[in-house]
Amino acid sequence: MESAVFDQRSCELGEGALWHPARAELFWFDIPARRLLSRGAAGARERTLPVRASAAAILGTNRLLLGATGGLLWLDLESGSTGMVAGFPDEEGLVTNDGRADPWGGFWISRMAPDETRGAGEIWRWRQGRFRRVAAGLTIPNAICFDRPRGRAYFADTTRHTVMVQEVDAEGWPKGEASVFLDLSASGAWPDGAVTDASCNLWIALWGAGTVACNDPDGRLIRTEHFSARQVSCPAFGGADFDTLFVTSAFEGLTNEERARDPFAGMTFARRLNKANRTAQGRAEPVLRLDGSGHSG
């Protein structure tokens, strides 16, 4: 099985991996450095952002939506210009963390306290020009992704070692209470970023373990992929056939001695998976429209 470092630029906190099919390019963030990194056929690029941003969605060939401090921005990938789409309804001194466009035309973005105050984290959904809080009382909210056929959203609270599943209605808004999908407390695993594949299996990065775990829609572990950095943070499927698993990582919090023992920390990885195994087939992320509609590409 092919496995390699995709990009050697080391990120303090690499996050928000997103494959852009029209550009054949992977985007990801180094959150504290306010960097948007990318690599495609034309090589590597780096864009300095005006604010801290941590998650993105595709708006078109040359535009992304960014989940950033203060709200949502659009970014023109050619000119570098940005503009405000929507500000958060409140100013709580929180910073954004994980986020993703949903297949119902919305965008989910999590926020948390910079000092990781317990219970201060929350998740907001933006659709058709308005924000609504969809989860609260979290500490480090992560793993936002979706299962459209089952009408599900997933999210995690990393510090509680739990992944939650939330039923949603026909417009993608939560209905009822979220329930525990995975309880990882016995293993001590820290769930971070996640994505679903074409078979609706959940692929989730386990921070500190150097692995991405694949669970089926019933929660059964069916596959584990190991990478050469302990603090893996966010997976994404991409490539021409969506059979490549990209994974960001981080050197955040590591001492010089720990970084010497973890020389690939902060780099971004790519692994081409076995196309004969349906659990390894990804799919395109939704293309989002600023009127709040979208499609699954």
Side-chain angles (χ1 to χ4, degrees):
M1 182 179 293
E2 182 182 345
S3 177
V5 171
F6 175 70
D7 191 281
Q8 293 184 343
R9 289 173 289 179
S10 189
C11 297
E12 181 179 355
L13 182 54
E15 273 285 9
L18 175 71
W19 176 257
H20 196 312
R23 299 174 65 95
E25 189 173 8
L26 184 76
F27 291 88
W28 68 101
F29 297 88
D30 185 1
I31 298 176
R34 297 184 178 181
R35 295 193 299 166
L36 177 66
L37 307 179
S38 68
R39 179 175 288 274
R45 290 196 62 180
E46 178 178 325
R47 298 167 176 85
T48 300
L49 301 173
V51 294
R52 174 187 168 116
S54 57
I58 299 167
L59 292 176
T61 301
N62 296 321
R63 293 188 19 160
L64 296 180
L65 181 79
L66 306 183
T69 299
L72 304 182
L73 306 176
W74 57 261
L75 168 69
D76 187 294
L77 293 168
E78 300 307 317
S79 69
S81 59
T82 61
M84 179 64 73
V85 174
F88 288 115
D90 58 22
E91 289 294 338
E92 297 290 345
L94 304 178
V95 295
T96 61
N97 193 41
D98 193 56
R100 188 178 298 275
D102 71 41
W104 300 275
F107 184 78
W108 294 46
I109 182 70
S110 69
R111 299 197 297 173
M112 57 180 281
D115 62 358
E116 301 179 9
T117 299
R118 188 170 181 84
E122 57 191 18
I123 300 174
W124 291 77
R125 184 182 189 230
W126 176 86
R127 185 173 185 266
Q128 296 181 336
R130 69 185 181 102
F131 269 116
R132 184 172 126 193
R133 187 160 32 213
V134 294
L138 309 171
T139 301
I140 304 180
N142 264 312
I144 296 171
C145 58
F146 307 95
D147 179 345
R148 182 170 190 169
R150 292 171 182 79
R152 289 179 176 180
Y154 294 101
F155 63 90
D157 193 342
T158 301
T159 59
R160 294 175 181 168
H161 309 282
T162 55
V163 180
M164 309 297 290
V165 59
Q166 171 69 66
E167 289 190 19
V168 299
D169 64 21
E171 294 186 342
W173 293 107
K175 59 179 183 180
E177 298 295 322
S179 60
V180 174
F181 179 72
L182 294 175
D183 184 346
L184 303 173
S185 55
S187 66
W190 303 90
D192 203 319
V195 67
T196 54
D197 66 18
S199 299
C200 298
N201 299 311
L202 179 74
W203 295 72
I204 187 161
L206 300 180
W207 178 276
T211 63
V212 175
C214 176
N215 293 79
D216 72 13
D218 294 320
R220 291 185 293 262
L221 180 65
I222 57 177
R223 185 168 181 157
T224 301
E225 300 291 333
H226 298 268
F227 294 89
S228 300
R230 289 192 300 113
Q231 294 182 162
V232 291
S233 52
C234 185
F237 281 99
D241 299 318
F242 289 93
D243 62 351
T244 298
L245 183 67
F246 297 98
V247 183
T248 55
S249 70
F251 64 78
E252 181 184 60
L254 299 182
T255 65
N256 290 337
E257 292 76 12
E258 288 170 329
R259 289 191 68 181
R261 295 194 298 270
D262 196 358
F264 298 102
M267 297 183 187
T268 299
F269 303 90
R271 175 169 297 165
R272 191 160 186 199
L273 302 174
N274 180 3
K275 287 193 282 187
N277 186 337
R278 289 187 58 82
T279 65
Q281 186 67 47
R283 57 184 170 191
E285 289 292 304
V287 176
L288 190 66
R289 290 176 44 170
L290 293 183
D291 63 5
S293 63
H295 61 76
S296 296

Short mmCIF file of all heavy atoms in Angstrom, two decimals, residues 186-228:
data_model
loop_
_atom_site.label_atom_id
_atom_site.label_comp_id
_atom_site.label_asym_id
_atom_site.label_seq_id
_atom_site.Cartn_x
_atom_site.Cartn_y
_atom_site.Cartn_z
N ALA A 186 -12.53 4.14 27.11
CA ALA A 186 -11.79 2.97 27.60
C ALA A 186 -10.40 2.89 26.99
O ALA A 186 -9.43 2.49 27.65
CB ALA A 186 -12.57 1.69 27.29
N SER A 187 -10.28 3.30 25.71
CA SER A 187 -8.98 3.26 25.04
C SER A 187 -8.19 4.54 25.25
O SER A 187 -6.98 4.57 24.98
CB SER A 187 -9.18 3.05 23.53
OG SER A 187 -9.82 4.18 22.95
N GLY A 188 -8.87 5.59 25.71
CA GLY A 188 -8.20 6.87 25.89
C GLY A 188 -7.99 7.63 24.59
O GLY A 188 -7.25 8.62 24.56
N ALA A 189 -8.61 7.18 23.50
CA ALA A 189 -8.42 7.82 22.20
C ALA A 189 -9.07 9.20 22.17
O ALA A 189 -10.14 9.41 22.74
CB ALA A 189 -9.01 6.94 21.10
N TRP A 190 -8.41 10.13 21.48
CA TRP A 190 -8.88 11.51 21.37
C TRP A 190 -9.41 11.74 19.95
O TRP A 190 -8.64 11.92 19.02
CB TRP A 190 -7.74 12.49 21.65
CG TRP A 190 -7.07 12.33 22.97
CD1 TRP A 190 -5.99 11.54 23.25
CD2 TRP A 190 -7.41 12.97 24.20
NE1 TRP A 190 -5.64 11.67 24.58
CE2 TRP A 190 -6.51 12.54 25.18
CE3 TRP A 190 -8.41 13.89 24.55
CZ2 TRP A 190 -6.55 12.98 26.50
CZ3 TRP A 190 -8.46 14.33 25.86
CH2 TRP A 190 -7.54 13.88 26.82
N PRO A 191 -10.73 11.73 19.76
CA PRO A 191 -11.27 11.94 18.42
C PRO A 191 -11.10 13.37 17.95
O PRO A 191 -11.42 14.32 18.67
CB PRO A 191 -12.75 11.58 18.57
CG PRO A 191 -13.06 11.85 20.02
CD PRO A 191 -11.80 11.53 20.77
N ASP A 192 -10.58 13.52 16.73
CA ASP A 192 -10.35 14.86 16.18
C ASP A 192 -11.19 15.02 14.92
O ASP A 192 -12.39 14.78 14.94
CB ASP A 192 -8.85 15.06 15.93
CG ASP A 192 -8.45 16.53 15.90
OD1 ASP A 192 -9.19 17.34 15.32
OD2 ASP A 192 -7.39 16.87 16.43
N GLY A 193 -10.60 15.40 13.79
CA GLY A 193 -11.37 15.60 12.57
C GLY A 193 -11.88 14.30 12.00
O GLY A 193 -11.31 13.23 12.23
N ALA A 194 -12.96 14.39 11.21
CA ALA A 194 -13.56 13.18 10.64
C ALA A 194 -14.21 13.51 9.30
O ALA A 194 -14.51 14.66 8.99
CB ALA A 194 -14.59 12.59 11.59
N VAL A 195 -14.45 12.45 8.52
CA VAL A 195 -15.12 12.56 7.24
C VAL A 195 -15.83 11.23 6.98
O VAL A 195 -15.42 10.20 7.51
CB VAL A 195 -14.09 12.88 6.12
CG1 VAL A 195 -13.14 11.71 5.88
CG2 VAL A 195 -14.78 13.28 4.83
N THR A 196 -16.91 11.27 6.21
CA THR A 196 -17.56 10.03 5.80
C THR A 196 -17.19 9.70 4.37
O THR A 196 -16.87 10.58 3.56
CB THR A 196 -19.09 10.13 5.92
OG1 THR A 196 -19.55 11.27 5.18
CG2 THR A 196 -19.52 10.26 7.37
N ASP A 197 -17.23 8.40 4.04
CA ASP A 197 -16.90 7.96 2.68
C ASP A 197 -18.17 7.67 1.89
O ASP A 197 -19.29 7.94 2.35
CB ASP A 197 -15.94 6.77 2.72
CG ASP A 197 -16.54 5.50 3.31
OD1 ASP A 197 -17.78 5.39 3.40
OD2 ASP A 197 -15.77 4.59 3.67
N ALA A 198 -18.01 7.11 0.70
CA ALA A 198 -19.16 6.87 -0.19
C ALA A 198 -20.11 5.82 0.37
O ALA A 198 -21.27 5.76 -0.04
CB ALA A 198 -18.67 6.46 -1.57
N SER A 199 -19.64 4.98 1.28
CA SER A 199 -20.49 3.98 1.92
C SER A 199 -20.99 4.44 3.28
O SER A 199 -21.54 3.64 4.04
CB SER A 199 -19.71 2.66 2.08
OG SER A 199 -19.32 2.15 0.81
N CYS A 200 -20.78 5.71 3.59
CA CYS A 200 -21.22 6.34 4.85
C CYS A 200 -20.48 5.80 6.06
O CYS A 200 -20.97 5.92 7.20
CB CYS A 200 -22.73 6.21 5.04
SG CYS A 200 -23.68 7.03 3.74
N ASN A 201 -19.30 5.21 5.86
CA ASN A 201 -18.44 4.88 6.99
C ASN A 201 -17.78 6.15 7.50
O ASN A 201 -17.52 7.09 6.74
CB ASN A 201 -17.37 3.87 6.57
CG ASN A 201 -17.97 2.58 6.08
OD1 ASN A 201 -18.83 1.99 6.73
ND2 ASN A 201 -17.52 2.12 4.92
N LEU A 202 -17.49 6.17 8.78
CA LEU A 202 -16.89 7.33 9.44
C LEU A 202 -15.39 7.09 9.61
O LEU A 202 -14.98 6.12 10.23
CB LEU A 202 -17.54 7.54 10.81
CG LEU A 202 -17.00 8.70 11.65
CD1 LEU A 202 -17.49 10.02 11.09
CD2 LEU A 202 -17.43 8.56 13.12
N TRP A 203 -14.59 7.98 9.04
CA TRP A 203 -13.13 7.95 9.17
C TRP A 203 -12.74 9.09 10.11
O TRP A 203 -13.02 10.25 9.83
CB TRP A 203 -12.46 8.14 7.82
CG TRP A 203 -12.74 7.02 6.85
CD1 TRP A 203 -13.92 6.76 6.21
CD2 TRP A 203 -11.81 6.04 6.42
NE1 TRP A 203 -13.77 5.67 5.40
CE2 TRP A 203 -12.50 5.20 5.49
CE3 TRP A 203 -10.47 5.77 6.69
CZ2 TRP A 203 -11.88 4.12 4.86
CZ3 TRP A 203 -9.85 4.70 6.05
CH2 TRP A 203 -10.55 3.89 5.16
N ILE A 204 -12.10 8.75 11.22
CA ILE A 204 -11.82 9.75 12.25
C ILE A 204 -10.36 9.71 12.69
O ILE A 204 -9.81 8.63 12.96
CB ILE A 204 -12.78 9.58 13.46
CG1 ILE A 204 -12.62 10.72 14.44
CG2 ILE A 204 -12.62 8.23 14.12
CD1 ILE A 204 -13.79 10.87 15.38
N ALA A 205 -9.72 10.87 12.70
CA ALA A 205 -8.34 10.97 13.16
C ALA A 205 -8.31 10.87 14.68
O ALA A 205 -9.09 11.53 15.37
CB ALA A 205 -7.73 12.29 12.71
N LEU A 206 -7.39 10.05 15.19
CA LEU A 206 -7.24 9.88 16.64
C LEU A 206 -5.95 10.56 17.08
O LEU A 206 -4.85 10.03 16.91
CB LEU A 206 -7.24 8.39 16.99
CG LEU A 206 -8.52 7.64 16.59
CD1 LEU A 206 -8.42 6.16 16.98
CD2 LEU A 206 -9.76 8.27 17.23
N TRP A 207 -6.12 11.74 17.62
CA TRP A 207 -5.01 12.58 18.07
C TRP A 207 -4.20 11.84 19.12
O TRP A 207 -4.73 11.27 20.06
CB TRP A 207 -5.59 13.87 18.64
CG TRP A 207 -4.63 14.86 19.21
CD1 TRP A 207 -4.11 14.87 20.46
CD2 TRP A 207 -4.09 16.01 18.53
NE1 TRP A 207 -3.28 15.95 20.63
CE2 TRP A 207 -3.25 16.67 19.46
CE3 TRP A 207 -4.24 16.55 17.26
CZ2 TRP A 207 -2.57 17.84 19.15
CZ3 TRP A 207 -3.56 17.71 16.94
CH2 TRP A 207 -2.73 18.35 17.87
N GLY A 208 -2.89 11.85 18.95
CA GLY A 208 -1.99 11.21 19.90
C GLY A 208 -1.71 9.76 19.59
O GLY A 208 -0.77 9.18 20.14
N ALA A 209 -2.51 9.16 18.70
CA ALA A 209 -2.35 7.74 18.39
C ALA A 209 -1.76 7.51 17.00
O ALA A 209 -1.41 6.38 16.66
CB ALA A 209 -3.69 7.02 18.48
N GLY A 210 -1.67 8.56 16.19
CA GLY A 210 -1.12 8.41 14.86
C GLY A 210 -1.96 7.55 13.93
O GLY A 210 -1.42 6.96 13.00
N THR A 211 -3.26 7.49 14.15
CA THR A 211 -4.11 6.61 13.37
C THR A 211 -5.37 7.33 12.91
O THR A 211 -5.82 8.30 13.54
CB THR A 211 -4.53 5.36 14.15
OG1 THR A 211 -5.31 5.75 15.29
CG2 THR A 211 -3.33 4.56 14.61
N VAL A 212 -5.93 6.84 11.81
CA VAL A 212 -7.27 7.19 11.37
C VAL A 212 -8.09 5.91 11.40
O VAL A 212 -7.73 4.91 10.76
CB VAL A 212 -7.27 7.80 9.95
CG1 VAL A 212 -8.70 8.04 9.47
CG2 VAL A 212 -6.47 9.10 9.93
N ALA A 213 -9.15 5.92 12.19
CA ALA A 213 -9.99 4.74 12.36
C ALA A 213 -11.23 4.86 11.48
O ALA A 213 -11.81 5.94 11.35
CB ALA A 213 -10.41 4.58 13.82
N CYS A 214 -11.64 3.74 10.88
CA CYS A 214 -12.83 3.70 10.06
C CYS A 214 -13.88 2.83 10.75
O CYS A 214 -13.63 1.65 11.04
CB CYS A 214 -12.50 3.13 8.68
SG CYS A 214 -13.94 2.92 7.61
N ASN A 215 -15.03 3.44 11.04
CA ASN A 215 -16.15 2.73 11.67
C ASN A 215 -17.34 2.73 10.73
O ASN A 215 -17.62 3.73 10.06
CB ASN A 215 -16.56 3.40 12.98
CG ASN A 215 -15.49 3.28 14.05
OD1 ASN A 215 -14.50 4.01 14.03
ND2 ASN A 215 -15.67 2.36 14.97
N ASP A 216 -18.07 1.62 10.69
CA ASP A 216 -19.26 1.56 9.84
C ASP A 216 -20.41 2.33 10.48
O ASP A 216 -20.28 2.81 11.61
CB ASP A 216 -19.63 0.10 9.51
CG ASP A 216 -20.22 -0.68 10.67
OD1 ASP A 216 -20.60 -0.07 11.70
OD2 ASP A 216 -20.31 -1.90 10.56
N PRO A 217 -21.54 2.51 9.78
CA PRO A 217 -22.63 3.32 10.34
C PRO A 217 -23.23 2.79 11.63
O PRO A 217 -23.97 3.51 12.31
CB PRO A 217 -23.66 3.32 9.20
CG PRO A 217 -22.85 3.14 7.96
CD PRO A 217 -21.78 2.18 8.36
N ASP A 218 -22.92 1.54 12.00
CA ASP A 218 -23.37 1.00 13.29
C ASP A 218 -22.31 1.14 14.38
O ASP A 218 -22.52 0.69 15.51
CB ASP A 218 -23.75 -0.48 13.13
CG ASP A 218 -24.96 -0.67 12.23
OD1 ASP A 218 -25.90 0.14 12.34
OD2 ASP A 218 -24.96 -1.60 11.42
N GLY A 219 -21.18 1.76 14.03
CA GLY A 219 -20.13 2.00 15.03
C GLY A 219 -19.07 0.93 15.11
O GLY A 219 -18.16 1.03 15.93
N ARG A 220 -19.15 -0.11 14.28
CA ARG A 220 -18.14 -1.18 14.33
C ARG A 220 -16.85 -0.73 13.65
O ARG A 220 -16.88 -0.18 12.55
CB ARG A 220 -18.67 -2.43 13.64
CG ARG A 220 -19.81 -3.12 14.37
CD ARG A 220 -20.18 -4.43 13.67
NE ARG A 220 -20.76 -4.17 12.37
CZ ARG A 220 -22.07 -4.14 12.12
NH1 ARG A 220 -22.94 -4.35 13.11
NH2 ARG A 220 -22.52 -3.92 10.90
N LEU A 221 -15.73 -0.98 14.31
CA LEU A 221 -14.42 -0.66 13.74
C LEU A 221 -14.12 -1.65 12.62
O LEU A 221 -14.11 -2.87 12.84
CB LEU A 221 -13.33 -0.74 14.81
CG LEU A 221 -11.90 -0.44 14.35
CD1 LEU A 221 -11.78 1.01 13.88
CD2 LEU A 221 -10.91 -0.75 15.47
N ILE A 222 -13.87 -1.14 11.42
CA ILE A 222 -13.63 -2.03 10.29
C ILE A 222 -12.25 -1.83 9.66
O ILE A 222 -11.81 -2.67 8.87
CB ILE A 222 -14.72 -1.89 9.21
CG1 ILE A 222 -14.84 -0.45 8.71
CG2 ILE A 222 -16.06 -2.38 9.75
CD1 ILE A 222 -15.86 -0.28 7.59
N ARG A 223 -11.56 -0.75 10.02
CA ARG A 223 -10.26 -0.51 9.39
C ARG A 223 -9.51 0.54 10.20
O ARG A 223 -10.11 1.46 10.74
CB ARG A 223 -10.46 -0.03 7.95
CG ARG A 223 -9.19 0.13 7.14
CD ARG A 223 -9.55 0.31 5.68
NE ARG A 223 -8.36 0.45 4.86
CZ ARG A 223 -8.33 0.17 3.57
NH1 ARG A 223 -9.42 -0.26 2.95
NH2 ARG A 223 -7.23 0.34 2.87
N THR A 224 -8.18 0.40 10.26
CA THR A 224 -7.35 1.40 10.92
C THR A 224 -6.14 1.68 10.05
O THR A 224 -5.47 0.74 9.59
CB THR A 224 -6.87 0.91 12.31
OG1 THR A 224 -8.02 0.63 13.12
CG2 THR A 224 -6.05 1.98 13.00
N GLU A 225 -5.87 2.94 9.81
CA GLU A 225 -4.72 3.36 9.02
C GLU A 225 -3.74 4.10 9.92
O GLU A 225 -4.12 5.01 10.66
CB GLU A 225 -5.15 4.29 7.86
CG GLU A 225 -6.12 3.66 6.88
CD GLU A 225 -5.49 2.56 6.05
OE1 GLU A 225 -4.26 2.61 5.83
OE2 GLU A 225 -6.24 1.66 5.60
N HIS A 226 -2.47 3.69 9.87
CA HIS A 226 -1.43 4.27 10.73
C HIS A 226 -0.57 5.24 9.93
O HIS A 226 -0.24 4.99 8.76
CB HIS A 226 -0.55 3.16 11.32
CG HIS A 226 -1.30 2.21 12.20
ND1 HIS A 226 -1.42 2.39 13.56
CD2 HIS A 226 -1.99 1.09 11.91
CE1 HIS A 226 -2.15 1.41 14.07
NE2 HIS A 226 -2.51 0.60 13.09
N PHE A 227 -0.19 6.35 10.58
CA PHE A 227 0.63 7.38 9.93
C PHE A 227 1.83 7.72 10.80
O PHE A 227 1.86 7.37 11.98
CB PHE A 227 -0.22 8.61 9.62
CG PHE A 227 -1.29 8.35 8.60
CD1 PHE A 227 -2.55 7.89 9.00
CD2 PHE A 227 -1.03 8.49 7.25
CE1 PHE A 227 -3.53 7.61 8.06
CE2 PHE A 227 -2.01 8.20 6.31
CZ PHE A 227 -3.26 7.77 6.71
N SER A 228 2.80 8.43 10.19
CA SER A 228 4.09 8.65 10.84
C SER A 228 4.17 9.91 11.67
O SER A 228 5.23 10.52 11.82
CB SER A 228 5.19 8.67 9.77
OG SER A 228 5.22 7.45 9.07
#
